[in-house]
Amino acid sequence: MKPTQIILGGTMAEPIIIVPYDERWKEEFHKIGSLLRKTLGSLAIRIDHIGSTAIEGLDAKPIIDIQISVESHEPMSYKPLMESIGYLYRNDNSDKTKRYFREFAEMKRTHIHIRERGSWSEQFTLLFRDFLREHEEYCRLYAEEKYILMNRYKQAQVRHLYVEGKDPIIWKIMYEASRWSQRVGWKPGKTDI
């Protein structure tokens, strides 16, 4: 075990680390996304690179976030397919607007969010990403806040406080993103994979 890692509830938790944008994140997403597309086929209506690693130039935790859009959460016919390629369903996730999968041990850290097509949470995530891709000044604000929170909550035991601490800046950005979406007539573009 690395000295900076902490065991929580029988699993290893990592401290919050924000790093400068890395071009390899695009490649990592494409590799994982292509495997997901091959495995899920038409069950996956969309497979999108989301989160900070999806926004060129934005500093981020080096974790690839992927959103898969499906027609319906139930039945979870995608669950055995996801597990067959190494992604474990996390039924302990409290967000009922998605089904959350994480990598098995020894795999590249990946967060996979499965959401219903057209749902508010699916659209929110895509709008947030697309707005930041078009507005560098908001990327800077977001990155500054993430660094402040990382330094405030360095220990993995309070990781949830880092996540909760981002809420005010996320809502500030989404206020502007909503106004922008109305001006430009935003709608999600083509799926990434």
Side-chain angles (χ1 to χ4, degrees), residues 1-14 156-157:
M1 177 173 26
K2 296 177 185 172
T4 57
Q5 294 177 324
I6 300 161
I7 301 293
L8 289 180
T11 61
M12 189 151 334
E14 298 172 2
Q157 294 99 322

Side-chain angles (χ1 to χ4, degrees), residues 140-155:
R140 281 194 305 275
L141 285 174
Y142 191 38
E144 288 169 9
E145 187 65 21
K146 289 193 299 180
Y147 278 112
I148 289 167
L149 293 167
M150 176 190 75
N151 289 323
R152 186 177 299 154
Y153 303 118
K154 284 185 178 180
Q155 299 302 317

Side-chain angles (χ1 to χ4, degrees), residues 7-193:
I7 301 293
L8 289 180
T11 61
M12 189 151 334
E14 298 172 2
I16 299 157
I17 298 171
I18 307 293
V19 300
Y21 178 79
D22 188 334
E23 281 289 330
R24 291 176 294 185
W25 292 338
K26 288 180 189 177
E27 298 165 20
E28 290 174 15
F29 163 74
H30 193 269
K31 180 180 174 184
I32 298 165
S34 296
L35 176 61
L36 289 165
R37 172 59 68 205
K38 181 180 176 185
T39 303
L40 297 174
S42 62
L43 283 174
I45 298 165
R46 298 183 62 98
I47 299 176
D48 292 290
H49 190 183
I50 61 167
S52 295
T53 62
I55 301 158
E56 193 167 330
L58 181 58
D59 297 357
K61 295 190 308 283
I63 299 167
I64 302 299
D65 280 281
I66 298 173
Q67 178 170 273
I68 299 172
S69 301
V70 296
E71 196 60 48
S72 177
H73 284 148
E74 304 300 333
M76 285 181 57
S77 52
Y78 47 82
K79 183 177 178 274
L81 298 171
M82 294 291 291
E83 290 177 346
S84 76
I85 58 171
Y87 295 99
L88 179 65
Y89 174 55
R90 297 287 302 265
N91 63 0
D92 60 339
N93 182 57
S94 61
D95 183 348
K96 302 304 179 201
T97 68
K98 69 180 179 183
R99 302 300 180 259
Y100 181 58
F101 288 78
R102 285 279 306 274
E103 76 289 344
F104 282 120
E106 307 304 319
M107 291 175 66
K108 168 75 177 144
R109 180 81 179 267
T110 309
H111 297 173
I112 299 178
H113 314 262
I114 298 183
R115 294 187 169 102
E116 292 183 346
R117 174 176 63 171
S119 67
W120 187 83
S121 60
E122 179 216 33
Q123 298 292 296
F124 181 101
T125 302
L126 295 173
L127 174 58
F128 186 78
R129 178 201 66 186
D130 290 355
F131 178 77
L132 286 177
R133 284 179 171 173
E134 296 290 325
H135 296 86
E136 188 177 329
E137 66 275 21
Y138 286 97
C139 285
R140 281 194 305 275
L141 285 174
Y142 191 38
E144 288 169 9
E145 187 65 21
K146 289 193 299 180
Y147 278 112
I148 289 167
L149 293 167
M150 176 190 75
N151 289 323
R152 186 177 299 154
Y153 303 118
K154 284 185 178 180
Q155 299 302 317
Q157 294 99 322
V158 292
R159 188 176 197 91
H160 68 284
L161 295 177
Y162 167 83
V163 173
E164 292 168 7
K166 291 191 305 180
D167 281 353
I169 190 68
I170 288 171
W171 285 107
K172 178 179 181 168
I173 291 168
M174 281 305 289
Y175 173 78
E176 296 301 330
S178 176
R179 294 175 59 186
W180 171 77
S181 73
Q182 293 170 33
R183 283 193 309 272
V184 301
W186 175 86
K187 60 182 178 180
K190 288 175 48 180
T191 181
D192 290 336
I193 296 281

